[in-house]
């Protein structure tokens, strides 16, 4: 029996059984072959990521990553260690050589994708609640950063997509890497800090970067389109 994990908002369904996670999608926009390729690419570079067992159009099966998602309830005493482990992991990912990454998520790629995408206007972040599509697009175009500080980004680096060992609090692996590619580091930092809520400052300190409010806002806005 496959047990349902999520019926994803973006069209993918995730189920699990005896150490295997299965992701299926009939949505053309949800490319599970691209996701499998990115998982393999990460693991080949020593970054902990789910091992691909089966990968073909519409189906991705991965071996269960041990540990618990960072989004689950953790004892208060563990939170600083979790935040630090997430920051250290993010630095390690962002230290991969950009020139060796075949996946491109620069703004030259993602802005045209955003402009062609449907937006779930009922799911916007609180700062943009009630905006219509034209307002989102106008703000996106007006606030596009001139320069991109390029690294290898996970692309959806929020807490449910990172698993940690409950004893050591070390990152055991990441999942959901369909949008991994070369992009500004704030593409990840904006989403991780949003996901961490009150622990965002500690995360940025440990990562070692001052807050960039303009990029933070821009990359959260860009994420509304995906
Ligand atoms: N190999 C795995 N090992 C452990 N947990 C996994 C694995 N694959 C998926 N999961 C769990 O299932 C959840 C959902 O999987 P995933 O993030 O790939 O789907 P999703 O967020 O619904 O997808 P998308 O954002 O692409 O629509 C993850 O947050 C994670 O907790
Ligand atoms: Mg996910």
């Amino acid at each position: 029996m496959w047990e349902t994990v999520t019926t994803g908002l973006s069209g993918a369904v995730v189920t699990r059984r005896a150490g295997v996670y299965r992701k299926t999608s009939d949505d053309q926009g949800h490319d599970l072959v691209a996701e499998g390729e990115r998982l393999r690419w990460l693991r080949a570079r020593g970054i902990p990521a789910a091992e691909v067992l089966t990968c073909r159009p519409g189906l991705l099966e991965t071996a269960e990553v041990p540990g618990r998602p960072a989004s689950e309830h953790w004892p208060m005493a563990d939170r600083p260690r979790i935040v630090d482990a997430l920051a250290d992991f993010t630095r390690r990912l962002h230290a991969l050589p950009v020139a060796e990454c075949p996946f491109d998520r620069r703004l030259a790629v993602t802005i045209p994708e955003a402009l062609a995408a449907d937006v779930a206007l009922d799911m916007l972040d609180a700062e943009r609640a009630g905006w219509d599509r034209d307002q989102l697009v106008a703000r996106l175009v007006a606030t596009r950063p001139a320069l991109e500080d390029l690294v290898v980004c996970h692309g959806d680096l929020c807490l449910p997509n990172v698993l940690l060992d409950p004893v050591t609090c070390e990152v055991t692996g990441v999942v959901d890497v369909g949008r991994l590619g070369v992009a500004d580091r704030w593409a990840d930092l904006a989403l991780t800090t949003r996901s961490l809520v009150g622990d965002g400052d500690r995360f940025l300190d440990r990562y070692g970067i001052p807050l960039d409010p303009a990029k933070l806002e821009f990359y959260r806005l860009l994420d509304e389109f995906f």
Side-chain angles (χ1 to χ4, degrees), residues 5-14 19-23 30 32 35 50-51 62-67 69 71-72 156 159-163 174-179:
V5 178
T6 57
T7 44
L9 301 162
S10 57
V13 175
V14 179
V20 178
Y21 276 74
R22 172 183 275 182
K23 194 167 183 177
H30 206 107
L32 295 177
E35 189 166 330
E51 182 191 354
T62 55
E64 180 165 28
V65 176
S71 52
E72 278 186 17
D156 191 11
L159 300 184
N161 292 333
V162 185
L163 291 106
V174 287
V175 297
D176 210 1
V177 298
R179 290 195 270 139

Side-chain angles (χ1 to χ4, degrees), residues 10-65:
S10 57
V13 175
V14 179
T15 53
R16 65 182 285 247
R17 184 175 78 176
V20 178
Y21 276 74
R22 172 183 275 182
K23 194 167 183 177
T24 55
S25 173
D26 50 15
D27 177 357
Q28 295 302 322
H30 206 107
D31 187 345
L32 295 177
V33 172
E35 189 166 330
E37 270 175 34
R38 285 161 170 77
L39 283 173
R40 288 190 173 120
W41 185 85
L42 271 181
R43 278 173 68 87
R45 273 146 197 87
I47 301 288
E51 182 191 354
V52 176
L53 304 174
T54 310
C55 181
R56 58 172 183 263
L59 175 69
L60 175 63
E61 286 180 350
T62 55
E64 180 165 28
V65 176

Side-chain angles (χ1 to χ4, degrees), residues 38 41 93-94 96-110 148-155 179-185 187-188 219:
R38 285 161 170 77
W41 185 85
L93 174 67
H94 290 179
L96 290 176
V98 164
E100 289 173 20
C101 181
F103 311 114
D104 189 359
R105 298 294 291 170
R106 292 171 179 84
L107 292 177
V109 171
T110 53
E148 291 171 84
D149 178 10
L150 297 175
V151 297
V152 175
C153 280
H154 175 282
R179 290 195 270 139
L180 178 139
V182 174
D184 188 289
R185 67 180 74 242
D188 277 347
Y219 281 100

Side-chain angles (χ1 to χ4, degrees), residues 186 193 201 204 209-214 216:
W186 281 95
T193 53
D201 291 346
L204 292 179
I209 198 168
L211 180 66
D212 184 333
L216 182 104

Side-chain angles (χ1 to χ4, degrees), residues 141-174:
V141 171
T143 59
R144 176 182 179 149
L147 293 175
E148 291 171 84
D149 178 10
L150 297 175
V151 297
V152 175
C153 280
H154 175 282
D156 191 11
L157 196 55
C158 55
L159 300 184
N161 292 333
V162 185
L163 291 106
L164 299 113
D165 183 314
V167 177
T168 65
C169 296
E170 286 306 302
V171 172
T172 49
V174 287

